[in-house]
Amino acid sequence: MADLTPTPDRPGLHVSKPSPDAPATASAVCHCGARATATGDSQVKALVDGYTANHGPAHRKGR
């Protein structure tokens, strides 16, 4: 299986939750240079919400 972790060369958002009992984890890298990681369901949700609102898709809206 390919490594889905975002990098500066392949920006994006990756979320993982291997089982219902395990905490979610996430990593995000934006082409603007911002990067973040989170562990725990509520922290991951906040990261996804922030990335979606301020990076990734948000940058495309201004183009």
Side-chain angles (χ1 to χ4, degrees):
M1 180 175 197
D3 182 6
L4 301 176
T5 304
T7 66
D9 295 332
R10 294 179 310 135
L13 177 66
H14 181 256
V15 177
S16 176
K17 185 165 175 84
S19 75
D21 297 328
T25 60
S27 59
V29 176
C30 184
H31 62 84
C32 74
R35 57 178 55 224
T37 60
T39 301
D41 296 359
S42 61
Q43 290 84 3
V44 168
K45 182 181 181 326
L47 185 149
V48 170
D49 291 345
Y51 181 83
T52 302
N54 302 300
H55 297 285
H59 286 303
R60 287 192 283 275
K61 290 179 186 174
R63 288 185 180 174

mmCIF file of all heavy atoms in Angstrom:
data_model
loop_
_atom_site.group_PDB
_atom_site.id
_atom_site.type_symbol
_atom_site.label_atom_id
_atom_site.label_comp_id
_atom_site.label_asym_id
_atom_site.label_seq_id
_atom_site.Cartn_x
_atom_site.Cartn_y
_atom_site.Cartn_z
ATOM 1 N N MET A 1 0.836 -1.171 0.000
ATOM 2 C CA MET A 1 0.000 0.000 0.000
ATOM 3 C C MET A 1 0.885 1.241 0.000
ATOM 4 O O MET A 1 1.889 1.311 0.675
ATOM 5 C CB MET A 1 -0.905 -0.013 1.226
ATOM 6 C CG MET A 1 -1.811 1.163 1.306
ATOM 7 S SD MET A 1 -2.916 0.939 2.718
ATOM 8 C CE MET A 1 -4.132 2.103 2.294
ATOM 9 N N ALA A 2 0.485 2.245 -0.751
ATOM 10 C CA ALA A 2 1.245 3.476 -0.868
ATOM 11 C C ALA A 2 1.172 4.287 0.424
ATOM 12 O O ALA A 2 0.191 4.231 1.164
ATOM 13 C CB ALA A 2 0.700 4.309 -2.015
ATOM 14 N N ASP A 3 2.214 5.056 0.682
ATOM 15 C CA ASP A 3 2.224 5.968 1.815
ATOM 16 C C ASP A 3 1.351 7.168 1.458
ATOM 17 O O ASP A 3 1.617 7.872 0.490
ATOM 18 C CB ASP A 3 3.649 6.406 2.120
ATOM 19 C CG ASP A 3 3.735 7.314 3.330
ATOM 20 O OD1 ASP A 3 2.709 7.524 4.010
ATOM 21 O OD2 ASP A 3 4.833 7.819 3.589
ATOM 22 N N LEU A 4 0.297 7.401 2.221
ATOM 23 C CA LEU A 4 -0.647 8.474 1.924
ATOM 24 C C LEU A 4 -0.376 9.737 2.734
ATOM 25 O O LEU A 4 -1.159 10.684 2.668
ATOM 26 C CB LEU A 4 -2.071 7.984 2.189
ATOM 27 C CG LEU A 4 -2.502 6.767 1.367
ATOM 28 C CD1 LEU A 4 -3.899 6.324 1.791
ATOM 29 C CD2 LEU A 4 -2.473 7.078 -0.107
ATOM 30 N N THR A 5 0.733 9.764 3.471
ATOM 31 C CA THR A 5 1.059 10.932 4.274
ATOM 32 C C THR A 5 1.363 12.119 3.363
ATOM 33 O O THR A 5 2.178 12.012 2.455
ATOM 34 C CB THR A 5 2.275 10.640 5.172
ATOM 35 O OG1 THR A 5 1.988 9.488 5.959
ATOM 36 C CG2 THR A 5 2.607 11.810 6.061
ATOM 37 N N PRO A 6 0.719 13.267 3.584
ATOM 38 C CA PRO A 6 0.990 14.439 2.754
ATOM 39 C C PRO A 6 2.420 14.947 2.955
ATOM 40 O O PRO A 6 2.978 14.840 4.045
ATOM 41 C CB PRO A 6 -0.013 15.483 3.241
ATOM 42 C CG PRO A 6 -0.920 14.819 4.194
ATOM 43 C CD PRO A 6 -0.321 13.519 4.576
ATOM 44 N N THR A 7 2.985 15.491 1.910
ATOM 45 C CA THR A 7 4.325 16.079 1.932
ATOM 46 C C THR A 7 4.260 17.408 1.178
ATOM 47 O O THR A 7 3.286 17.670 0.469
ATOM 48 C CB THR A 7 5.348 15.163 1.239
ATOM 49 O OG1 THR A 7 5.023 15.085 -0.153
ATOM 50 C CG2 THR A 7 5.371 13.768 1.846
ATOM 51 N N PRO A 8 5.294 18.233 1.270
ATOM 52 C CA PRO A 8 5.297 19.467 0.479
ATOM 53 C C PRO A 8 5.169 19.208 -1.030
ATOM 54 O O PRO A 8 4.589 20.009 -1.751
ATOM 55 C CB PRO A 8 6.636 20.105 0.824
ATOM 56 C CG PRO A 8 6.926 19.604 2.212
ATOM 57 C CD PRO A 8 6.400 18.188 2.223
ATOM 58 N N ASP A 9 5.699 18.078 -1.493
ATOM 59 C CA ASP A 9 5.572 17.721 -2.914
ATOM 60 C C ASP A 9 4.199 17.162 -3.257
ATOM 61 O O ASP A 9 3.788 17.190 -4.409
ATOM 62 C CB ASP A 9 6.632 16.689 -3.308
ATOM 63 C CG ASP A 9 8.030 17.245 -3.213
ATOM 64 O OD1 ASP A 9 8.209 18.472 -3.371
ATOM 65 O OD2 ASP A 9 8.960 16.456 -2.959
ATOM 66 N N ARG A 10 3.504 16.612 -2.250
ATOM 67 C CA ARG A 10 2.155 16.052 -2.423
ATOM 68 C C ARG A 10 1.266 16.559 -1.291
ATOM 69 O O ARG A 10 0.956 15.836 -0.359
ATOM 70 C CB ARG A 10 2.193 14.525 -2.396
ATOM 71 C CG ARG A 10 2.917 13.872 -3.545
ATOM 72 C CD ARG A 10 2.933 12.360 -3.414
ATOM 73 N NE ARG A 10 3.390 11.967 -2.074
ATOM 74 C CZ ARG A 10 2.808 11.042 -1.323
ATOM 75 N NH1 ARG A 10 1.766 10.394 -1.743
ATOM 76 N NH2 ARG A 10 3.272 10.747 -0.133
ATOM 77 N N PRO A 11 0.891 17.863 -1.338
ATOM 78 C CA PRO A 11 0.091 18.409 -0.247
ATOM 79 C C PRO A 11 -1.281 17.751 -0.176
ATOM 80 O O PRO A 11 -1.777 17.206 -1.167
ATOM 81 C CB PRO A 11 -0.028 19.893 -0.595
ATOM 82 C CG PRO A 11 0.350 20.022 -2.011
ATOM 83 C CD PRO A 11 1.167 18.826 -2.378
ATOM 84 N N GLY A 12 -1.864 17.800 0.992
ATOM 85 C CA GLY A 12 -3.188 17.227 1.162
ATOM 86 C C GLY A 12 -3.479 16.945 2.623
ATOM 87 O O GLY A 12 -2.789 17.417 3.517
ATOM 88 N N LEU A 13 -4.506 16.172 2.837
ATOM 89 C CA LEU A 13 -4.989 15.839 4.169
ATOM 90 C C LEU A 13 -5.143 14.326 4.249
ATOM 91 O O LEU A 13 -5.705 13.710 3.343
ATOM 92 C CB LEU A 13 -6.337 16.527 4.384
ATOM 93 C CG LEU A 13 -7.089 16.277 5.671
ATOM 94 C CD1 LEU A 13 -6.324 16.851 6.848
ATOM 95 C CD2 LEU A 13 -8.461 16.933 5.586
ATOM 96 N N HIS A 14 -4.635 13.732 5.321
ATOM 97 C CA HIS A 14 -4.768 12.293 5.518
ATOM 98 C C HIS A 14 -5.303 12.030 6.910
ATOM 99 O O HIS A 14 -4.754 12.517 7.894
ATOM 100 C CB HIS A 14 -3.429 11.584 5.337
ATOM 101 C CG HIS A 14 -3.538 10.104 5.514
ATOM 102 N ND1 HIS A 14 -3.109 9.461 6.660
ATOM 103 C CD2 HIS A 14 -4.044 9.145 4.720
ATOM 104 C CE1 HIS A 14 -3.346 8.161 6.537
ATOM 105 N NE2 HIS A 14 -3.922 7.949 5.373
ATOM 106 N N VAL A 15 -6.396 11.283 7.001
ATOM 107 C CA VAL A 15 -7.023 10.922 8.272
ATOM 108 C C VAL A 15 -7.061 9.404 8.371
ATOM 109 O O VAL A 15 -7.372 8.725 7.398
ATOM 110 C CB VAL A 15 -8.454 11.493 8.367
ATOM 111 C CG1 VAL A 15 -9.136 11.048 9.650
ATOM 112 C CG2 VAL A 15 -8.433 13.008 8.265
ATOM 113 N N SER A 16 -6.763 8.898 9.571
ATOM 114 C CA SER A 16 -6.781 7.456 9.790
ATOM 115 C C SER A 16 -7.469 7.162 11.118
ATOM 116 O O SER A 16 -7.272 7.868 12.104
ATOM 117 C CB SER A 16 -5.345 6.930 9.815
ATOM 118 O OG SER A 16 -5.329 5.556 10.119
ATOM 119 N N LYS A 17 -8.269 6.112 11.125
ATOM 120 C CA LYS A 17 -8.891 5.596 12.353
ATOM 121 C C LYS A 17 -8.984 4.093 12.164
ATOM 122 O O LYS A 17 -9.973 3.578 11.638
ATOM 123 C CB LYS A 17 -10.257 6.224 12.576
ATOM 124 C CG LYS A 17 -10.872 5.797 13.901
ATOM 125 C CD LYS A 17 -12.018 6.692 14.277
ATOM 126 C CE LYS A 17 -12.722 6.211 15.515
ATOM 127 N NZ LYS A 17 -12.098 6.635 16.742
ATOM 128 N N PRO A 18 -7.950 3.366 12.591
ATOM 129 C CA PRO A 18 -7.857 1.940 12.295
ATOM 130 C C PRO A 18 -8.964 1.074 12.892
ATOM 131 O O PRO A 18 -9.249 0.009 12.369
ATOM 132 C CB PRO A 18 -6.500 1.526 12.825
ATOM 133 C CG PRO A 18 -5.944 2.676 13.560
ATOM 134 C CD PRO A 18 -6.795 3.871 13.304
ATOM 135 N N SER A 19 -9.566 1.535 13.982
ATOM 136 C CA SER A 19 -10.670 0.773 14.576
ATOM 137 C C SER A 19 -11.548 1.735 15.364
ATOM 138 O O SER A 19 -11.104 2.828 15.721
ATOM 139 C CB SER A 19 -10.149 -0.341 15.484
ATOM 140 O OG SER A 19 -9.673 0.199 16.701
ATOM 141 N N PRO A 20 -12.784 1.334 15.657
ATOM 142 C CA PRO A 20 -13.675 2.221 16.414
ATOM 143 C C PRO A 20 -13.133 2.606 17.791
ATOM 144 O O PRO A 20 -13.454 3.672 18.306
ATOM 145 C CB PRO A 20 -14.961 1.409 16.546
ATOM 146 C CG PRO A 20 -14.923 0.442 15.419
ATOM 147 C CD PRO A 20 -13.479 0.125 15.208
ATOM 148 N N ASP A 21 -12.296 1.751 18.375
ATOM 149 C CA ASP A 21 -11.757 2.024 19.696
ATOM 150 C C ASP A 21 -10.454 2.824 19.677
ATOM 151 O O ASP A 21 -10.012 3.307 20.715
ATOM 152 C CB ASP A 21 -11.522 0.718 20.446
ATOM 153 C CG ASP A 21 -12.817 -0.044 20.676
ATOM 154 O OD1 ASP A 21 -13.872 0.613 20.828
ATOM 155 O OD2 ASP A 21 -12.785 -1.280 20.683
ATOM 156 N N ALA A 22 -9.834 2.954 18.520
ATOM 157 C CA ALA A 22 -8.565 3.675 18.410
ATOM 158 C C ALA A 22 -8.830 5.153 18.145
ATOM 159 O O ALA A 22 -9.809 5.509 17.493
ATOM 160 C CB ALA A 22 -7.733 3.097 17.273
ATOM 161 N N PRO A 23 -7.948 6.024 18.652
ATOM 162 C CA PRO A 23 -8.122 7.445 18.351
ATOM 163 C C PRO A 23 -7.785 7.719 16.889
ATOM 164 O O PRO A 23 -6.921 7.075 16.303
ATOM 165 C CB PRO A 23 -7.127 8.136 19.283
ATOM 166 C CG PRO A 23 -6.086 7.104 19.557
ATOM 167 C CD PRO A 23 -6.791 5.779 19.511
ATOM 168 N N ALA A 24 -8.478 8.669 16.322
ATOM 169 C CA ALA A 24 -8.178 9.099 14.961
ATOM 170 C C ALA A 24 -6.854 9.868 14.973
ATOM 171 O O ALA A 24 -6.485 10.479 15.974
ATOM 172 C CB ALA A 24 -9.297 9.985 14.434
ATOM 173 N N THR A 25 -6.149 9.816 13.850
ATOM 174 C CA THR A 25 -4.955 10.632 13.649
ATOM 175 C C THR A 25 -5.078 11.312 12.296
ATOM 176 O O THR A 25 -5.759 10.819 11.394
ATOM 177 C CB THR A 25 -3.663 9.796 13.679
ATOM 178 O OG1 THR A 25 -3.711 8.821 12.634
ATOM 179 C CG2 THR A 25 -3.470 9.104 15.024
ATOM 180 N N ALA A 26 -4.423 12.459 12.165
ATOM 181 C CA ALA A 26 -4.479 13.184 10.898
ATOM 182 C C ALA A 26 -3.196 13.970 10.696
ATOM 183 O O ALA A 26 -2.541 14.367 11.658
ATOM 184 C CB ALA A 26 -5.669 14.138 10.877
ATOM 185 N N SER A 27 -2.868 14.187 9.448
ATOM 186 C CA SER A 27 -1.774 15.079 9.084
ATOM 187 C C SER A 27 -2.209 15.856 7.853
ATOM 188 O O SER A 27 -2.949 15.348 7.014
ATOM 189 C CB SER A 27 -0.476 14.310 8.825
ATOM 190 O OG SER A 27 -0.656 13.374 7.793
ATOM 191 N N ALA A 28 -1.754 17.089 7.796
ATOM 192 C CA ALA A 28 -2.108 17.957 6.670
ATOM 193 C C ALA A 28 -0.892 18.777 6.287
ATOM 194 O O ALA A 28 -0.143 19.230 7.147
ATOM 195 C CB ALA A 28 -3.255 18.876 7.047
ATOM 196 N N VAL A 29 -0.715 18.952 4.989
ATOM 197 C CA VAL A 29 0.317 19.821 4.445
ATOM 198 C C VAL A 29 -0.327 20.594 3.306
ATOM 199 O O VAL A 29 -0.975 20.011 2.441
ATOM 200 C CB VAL A 29 1.537 19.024 3.917
ATOM 201 C CG1 VAL A 29 2.546 19.953 3.282
ATOM 202 C CG2 VAL A 29 2.179 18.211 5.022
ATOM 203 N N CYS A 30 -0.161 21.913 3.331
ATOM 204 C CA CYS A 30 -0.718 22.763 2.280
ATOM 205 C C CYS A 30 0.404 23.244 1.370
ATOM 206 O O CYS A 30 1.545 23.378 1.813
ATOM 207 C CB CYS A 30 -1.435 23.950 2.919
ATOM 208 S SG CYS A 30 -2.264 25.020 1.714
ATOM 209 N N HIS A 31 0.080 23.546 0.137
ATOM 210 C CA HIS A 31 1.099 24.030 -0.784
ATOM 211 C C HIS A 31 1.641 25.394 -0.361
ATOM 212 O O HIS A 31 2.700 25.807 -0.786
ATOM 213 C CB HIS A 31 0.580 24.060 -2.222
ATOM 214 C CG HIS A 31 -0.569 24.974 -2.436
ATOM 215 N ND1 HIS A 31 -0.426 26.312 -2.671
ATOM 216 C CD2 HIS A 31 -1.901 24.738 -2.432
ATOM 217 C CE1 HIS A 31 -1.615 26.867 -2.806
ATOM 218 N NE2 HIS A 31 -2.523 25.931 -2.666
ATOM 219 N N CYS A 32 0.941 26.108 0.554
ATOM 220 C CA CYS A 32 1.424 27.398 1.054
ATOM 221 C C CYS A 32 2.501 27.217 2.130
ATOM 222 O O CYS A 32 3.093 28.182 2.576
ATOM 223 C CB CYS A 32 0.268 28.231 1.601
ATOM 224 S SG CYS A 32 -0.383 27.681 3.197
ATOM 225 N N GLY A 33 2.731 25.973 2.565
ATOM 226 C CA GLY A 33 3.751 25.692 3.563
ATOM 227 C C GLY A 33 3.211 25.340 4.934
ATOM 228 O O GLY A 33 3.953 24.877 5.789
ATOM 229 N N ALA A 34 1.932 25.568 5.169
ATOM 230 C CA ALA A 34 1.339 25.223 6.465
ATOM 231 C C ALA A 34 1.288 23.716 6.620
ATOM 232 O O ALA A 34 1.066 22.991 5.644
ATOM 233 C CB ALA A 34 -0.065 25.807 6.567
ATOM 234 N N ARG A 35 1.488 23.256 7.846
ATOM 235 C CA ARG A 35 1.389 21.826 8.135
ATOM 236 C C ARG A 35 0.879 21.641 9.545
ATOM 237 O O ARG A 35 1.076 22.497 10.396
ATOM 238 C CB ARG A 35 2.720 21.112 7.920
ATOM 239 C CG ARG A 35 3.864 21.633 8.712
ATOM 240 C CD ARG A 35 5.167 20.864 8.511
ATOM 241 N NE ARG A 35 5.523 20.794 7.118
ATOM 242 C CZ ARG A 35 5.968 19.677 6.518
ATOM 243 N NH1 ARG A 35 6.152 18.581 7.195
ATOM 244 N NH2 ARG A 35 6.254 19.665 5.248
ATOM 245 N N ALA A 36 0.202 20.533 9.786
ATOM 246 C CA ALA A 36 -0.354 20.253 11.107
ATOM 247 C C ALA A 36 -0.565 18.755 11.266
ATOM 248 O O ALA A 36 -0.715 18.033 10.287
ATOM 249 C CB ALA A 36 -1.680 20.976 11.293
ATOM 250 N N THR A 37 -0.566 18.308 12.528
ATOM 251 C CA THR A 37 -0.920 16.938 12.864
ATOM 252 C C THR A 37 -1.881 16.985 14.038
ATOM 253 O O THR A 37 -1.914 17.965 14.797
ATOM 254 C CB THR A 37 0.311 16.091 13.244
ATOM 255 O OG1 THR A 37 0.946 16.683 14.369
ATOM 256 C CG2 THR A 37 1.292 15.983 12.086
ATOM 257 N N ALA A 38 -2.670 15.937 14.202
ATOM 258 C CA ALA A 38 -3.617 15.853 15.319
ATOM 259 C C ALA A 38 -3.832 14.403 15.691
ATOM 260 O O ALA A 38 -3.755 13.510 14.853
ATOM 261 C CB ALA A 38 -4.946 16.493 14.931
ATOM 262 N N THR A 39 -4.125 14.190 16.960
ATOM 263 C CA THR A 39 -4.464 12.869 17.480
ATOM 264 C C THR A 39 -5.688 13.020 18.367
ATOM 265 O O THR A 39 -5.742 13.923 19.202
ATOM 266 C CB THR A 39 -3.305 12.283 18.299
ATOM 267 O OG1 THR A 39 -2.144 12.196 17.469
ATOM 268 C CG2 THR A 39 -3.642 10.898 18.823
ATOM 269 N N GLY A 40 -6.639 12.133 18.184
ATOM 270 C CA GLY A 40 -7.879 12.188 18.945
ATOM 271 C C GLY A 40 -9.007 12.683 18.064
ATOM 272 O O GLY A 40 -8.814 13.559 17.225
ATOM 273 N N ASP A 41 -10.172 12.097 18.237
ATOM 274 C CA ASP A 41 -11.285 12.385 17.334
ATOM 275 C C ASP A 41 -11.638 13.864 17.264
ATOM 276 O O ASP A 41 -11.804 14.411 16.167
ATOM 277 C CB ASP A 41 -12.511 11.562 17.736
ATOM 278 C CG ASP A 41 -12.290 10.064 17.590
ATOM 279 O OD1 ASP A 41 -11.194 9.649 17.150
ATOM 280 O OD2 ASP A 41 -13.217 9.302 17.901
ATOM 281 N N SER A 42 -11.734 14.555 18.384
ATOM 282 C CA SER A 42 -12.132 15.968 18.348
ATOM 283 C C SER A 42 -11.022 16.846 17.768
ATOM 284 O O SER A 42 -11.306 17.790 17.023
ATOM 285 C CB SER A 42 -12.553 16.461 19.730
ATOM 286 O OG SER A 42 -11.487 16.349 20.642
ATOM 287 N N GLN A 43 -9.759 16.521 18.059
ATOM 288 C CA GLN A 43 -8.657 17.291 17.492
ATOM 289 C C GLN A 43 -8.561 17.080 15.986
ATOM 290 O O GLN A 43 -8.271 18.014 15.232
ATOM 291 C CB GLN A 43 -7.330 16.932 18.172
ATOM 292 C CG GLN A 43 -7.230 17.410 19.598
ATOM 293 C CD GLN A 43 -7.877 16.445 20.588
ATOM 294 O OE1 GLN A 43 -8.369 15.369 20.230
ATOM 295 N NE2 GLN A 43 -7.896 16.823 21.843
ATOM 296 N N VAL A 44 -8.800 15.859 15.540
ATOM 297 C CA VAL A 44 -8.771 15.570 14.103
ATOM 298 C C VAL A 44 -9.900 16.315 13.396
ATOM 299 O O VAL A 44 -9.700 16.908 12.340
ATOM 300 C CB VAL A 44 -8.832 14.053 13.824
ATOM 301 C CG1 VAL A 44 -9.105 13.760 12.369
ATOM 302 C CG2 VAL A 44 -7.532 13.394 14.270
ATOM 303 N N LYS A 45 -11.079 16.335 13.990
ATOM 304 C CA LYS A 45 -12.189 17.080 13.391
ATOM 305 C C LYS A 45 -11.835 18.558 13.270
ATOM 306 O O LYS A 45 -12.090 19.184 12.237
ATOM 307 C CB LYS A 45 -13.464 16.912 14.199
ATOM 308 C CG LYS A 45 -14.642 17.638 13.558
ATOM 309 C CD LYS A 45 -15.901 17.498 14.356
ATOM 310 C CE LYS A 45 -17.092 18.189 13.749
ATOM 311 N NZ LYS A 45 -16.884 19.418 13.022
ATOM 312 N N ALA A 46 -11.212 19.126 14.300
ATOM 313 C CA ALA A 46 -10.809 20.530 14.249
ATOM 314 C C ALA A 46 -9.770 20.763 13.157
ATOM 315 O O ALA A 46 -9.832 21.776 12.440
ATOM 316 C CB ALA A 46 -10.276 20.968 15.607
ATOM 317 N N LEU A 47 -8.813 19.847 13.006
ATOM 318 C CA LEU A 47 -7.806 19.977 11.958
ATOM 319 C C LEU A 47 -8.468 19.939 10.584
ATOM 320 O O LEU A 47 -8.178 20.774 9.725
ATOM 321 C CB LEU A 47 -6.756 18.876 12.079
ATOM 322 C CG LEU A 47 -5.581 18.985 11.110
ATOM 323 C CD1 LEU A 47 -4.332 18.417 11.754
ATOM 324 C CD2 LEU A 47 -5.840 18.288 9.798
ATOM 325 N N VAL A 48 -9.367 18.991 10.362
ATOM 326 C CA VAL A 48 -10.049 18.873 9.070
ATOM 327 C C VAL A 48 -10.860 20.142 8.786
ATOM 328 O O VAL A 48 -10.798 20.697 7.685
ATOM 329 C CB VAL A 48 -10.956 17.620 9.030
ATOM 330 C CG1 VAL A 48 -11.843 17.622 7.799
ATOM 331 C CG2 VAL A 48 -10.099 16.360 9.070
ATOM 332 N N ASP A 49 -11.601 20.623 9.785
ATOM 333 C CA ASP A 49 -12.393 21.839 9.596
ATOM 334 C C ASP A 49 -11.504 23.038 9.268
ATOM 335 O O ASP A 49 -11.802 23.819 8.367
ATOM 336 C CB ASP A 49 -13.231 22.137 10.837
ATOM 337 C CG ASP A 49 -14.349 21.137 11.065
ATOM 338 O OD1 ASP A 49 -14.674 20.365 10.128
ATOM 339 O OD2 ASP A 49 -14.891 21.111 12.192
ATOM 340 N N GLY A 50 -10.404 23.184 9.990
ATOM 341 C CA GLY A 50 -9.483 24.291 9.750
ATOM 342 C C GLY A 50 -8.795 24.203 8.403
ATOM 343 O O GLY A 50 -8.651 25.205 7.699
ATOM 344 N N TYR A 51 -8.365 23.009 8.029
ATOM 345 C CA TYR A 51 -7.704 22.824 6.734
ATOM 346 C C TYR A 51 -8.674 23.130 5.595
ATOM 347 O O TYR A 51 -8.335 23.825 4.646
ATOM 348 C CB TYR A 51 -7.175 21.390 6.610
ATOM 349 C CG TYR A 51 -6.462 21.121 5.308
ATOM 350 C CD1 TYR A 51 -5.126 21.464 5.145
ATOM 351 C CD2 TYR A 51 -7.120 20.531 4.228
ATOM 352 C CE1 TYR A 51 -4.468 21.224 3.953
ATOM 353 C CE2 TYR A 51 -6.463 20.286 3.040
ATOM 354 C CZ TYR A 51 -5.139 20.633 2.906
ATOM 355 O OH TYR A 51 -4.494 20.409 1.724
ATOM 356 N N THR A 52 -9.890 22.643 5.717
ATOM 357 C CA THR A 52 -10.886 22.863 4.668
ATOM 358 C C THR A 52 -11.242 24.347 4.552
ATOM 359 O O THR A 52 -11.410 24.864 3.447
ATOM 360 C CB THR A 52 -12.154 22.036 4.958
ATOM 361 O OG1 THR A 52 -11.772 20.661 5.048
ATOM 362 C CG2 THR A 52 -13.182 22.184 3.869
ATOM 363 N N ALA A 53 -11.351 25.041 5.676
ATOM 364 C CA ALA A 53 -11.737 26.448 5.663
ATOM 365 C C ALA A 53 -10.602 27.384 5.245
ATOM 366 O O ALA A 53 -10.856 28.424 4.634
ATOM 367 C CB ALA A 53 -12.242 26.853 7.049
ATOM 368 N N ASN A 54 -9.344 27.025 5.560
ATOM 369 C CA ASN A 54 -8.245 27.976 5.391
ATOM 370 C C ASN A 54 -7.128 27.543 4.449
ATOM 371 O O ASN A 54 -6.262 28.355 4.138
ATOM 372 C CB ASN A 54 -7.633 28.267 6.766
ATOM 373 C CG ASN A 54 -8.651 28.818 7.717
ATOM 374 O OD1 ASN A 54 -9.232 29.859 7.466
ATOM 375 N ND2 ASN A 54 -8.899 28.118 8.810
ATOM 376 N N HIS A 55 -7.109 26.295 4.056
ATOM 377 C CA HIS A 55 -6.035 25.783 3.196
ATOM 378 C C HIS A 55 -6.664 24.911 2.116
ATOM 379 O O HIS A 55 -7.868 24.943 1.930
ATOM 380 C CB HIS A 55 -5.019 24.990 4.037
ATOM 381 C CG HIS A 55 -4.344 25.854 5.045
ATOM 382 N ND1 HIS A 55 -3.365 26.749 4.724
ATOM 383 C CD2 HIS A 55 -4.556 26.006 6.379
ATOM 384 C CE1 HIS A 55 -2.988 27.398 5.803
ATOM 385 N NE2 HIS A 55 -3.692 26.956 6.823
ATOM 386 N N GLY A 56 -5.854 24.131 1.444
ATOM 387 C CA GLY A 56 -6.366 23.198 0.438
ATOM 388 C C GLY A 56 -7.469 23.800 -0.417
ATOM 389 O O GLY A 56 -7.215 24.664 -1.245
ATOM 390 N N PRO A 57 -8.716 23.389 -0.195
ATOM 391 C CA PRO A 57 -9.828 23.864 -1.011
ATOM 392 C C PRO A 57 -10.017 25.384 -0.946
ATOM 393 O O PRO A 57 -10.406 25.994 -1.922
ATOM 394 C CB PRO A 57 -11.042 23.155 -0.417
ATOM 395 C CG PRO A 57 -10.499 21.980 0.305
ATOM 396 C CD PRO A 57 -9.139 22.374 0.768
ATOM 397 N N ALA A 58 -9.720 26.002 0.196
ATOM 398 C CA ALA A 58 -9.912 27.441 0.342
ATOM 399 C C ALA A 58 -8.984 28.222 -0.589
ATOM 400 O O ALA A 58 -9.365 29.260 -1.113
ATOM 401 C CB ALA A 58 -9.696 27.862 1.789
ATOM 402 N N HIS A 59 -7.770 27.733 -0.803
ATOM 403 C CA HIS A 59 -6.836 28.412 -1.698
ATOM 404 C C HIS A 59 -7.344 28.379 -3.135
ATOM 405 O O HIS A 59 -7.102 29.323 -3.888
ATOM 406 C CB HIS A 59 -5.448 27.776 -1.637
ATOM 407 C CG HIS A 59 -4.691 28.102 -0.395
ATOM 408 N ND1 HIS A 59 -4.405 29.371 0.001
ATOM 409 C CD2 HIS A 59 -4.162 27.291 0.559
ATOM 410 C CE1 HIS A 59 -3.726 29.356 1.125
ATOM 411 N NE2 HIS A 59 -3.573 28.098 1.500
ATOM 412 N N ARG A 60 -7.997 27.327 -3.521
ATOM 413 C CA ARG A 60 -8.498 27.214 -4.896
ATOM 414 C C ARG A 60 -9.639 28.189 -5.176
ATOM 415 O O ARG A 60 -9.868 28.590 -6.295
ATOM 416 C CB ARG A 60 -8.933 25.776 -5.183
ATOM 417 C CG ARG A 60 -7.744 24.852 -5.341
ATOM 418 C CD ARG A 60 -8.168 23.513 -5.903
ATOM 419 N NE ARG A 60 -8.788 22.664 -4.911
ATOM 420 C CZ ARG A 60 -8.129 21.868 -4.076
ATOM 421 N NH1 ARG A 60 -6.819 21.835 -4.084
ATOM 422 N NH2 ARG A 60 -8.787 21.112 -3.229
ATOM 423 N N LYS A 61 -10.392 28.588 -4.134
ATOM 424 C CA LYS A 61 -11.516 29.499 -4.331
ATOM 425 C C LYS A 61 -11.060 30.853 -4.845
ATOM 426 O O LYS A 61 -11.764 31.506 -5.588
ATOM 427 C CB LYS A 61 -12.290 29.682 -3.025
ATOM 428 C CG LYS A 61 -13.058 28.457 -2.607
ATOM 429 C CD LYS A 61 -13.780 28.711 -1.298
ATOM 430 C CE LYS A 61 -14.440 27.434 -0.807
ATOM 431 N NZ LYS A 61 -15.024 27.603 0.519
ATOM 432 N N GLY A 62 -9.855 31.272 -4.434
ATOM 433 C CA GLY A 62 -9.354 32.575 -4.833
ATOM 434 C C GLY A 62 -8.720 32.612 -6.203
ATOM 435 O O GLY A 62 -8.363 33.656 -6.706
ATOM 436 N N ARG A 63 -8.576 31.466 -6.840
ATOM 437 C CA ARG A 63 -7.907 31.421 -8.151
ATOM 438 C C ARG A 63 -8.855 31.770 -9.255
ATOM 439 O O ARG A 63 -9.979 31.563 -9.280
ATOM 440 C CB ARG A 63 -7.325 30.037 -8.397
ATOM 441 C CG ARG A 63 -6.143 29.807 -7.528
ATOM 442 C CD ARG A 63 -5.503 28.492 -7.876
ATOM 443 N NE ARG A 63 -4.349 28.297 -7.011
ATOM 444 C CZ ARG A 63 -3.643 27.205 -6.989
ATOM 445 N NH1 ARG A 63 -3.936 26.208 -7.768
ATOM 446 N NH2 ARG A 63 -2.619 27.102 -6.190
#
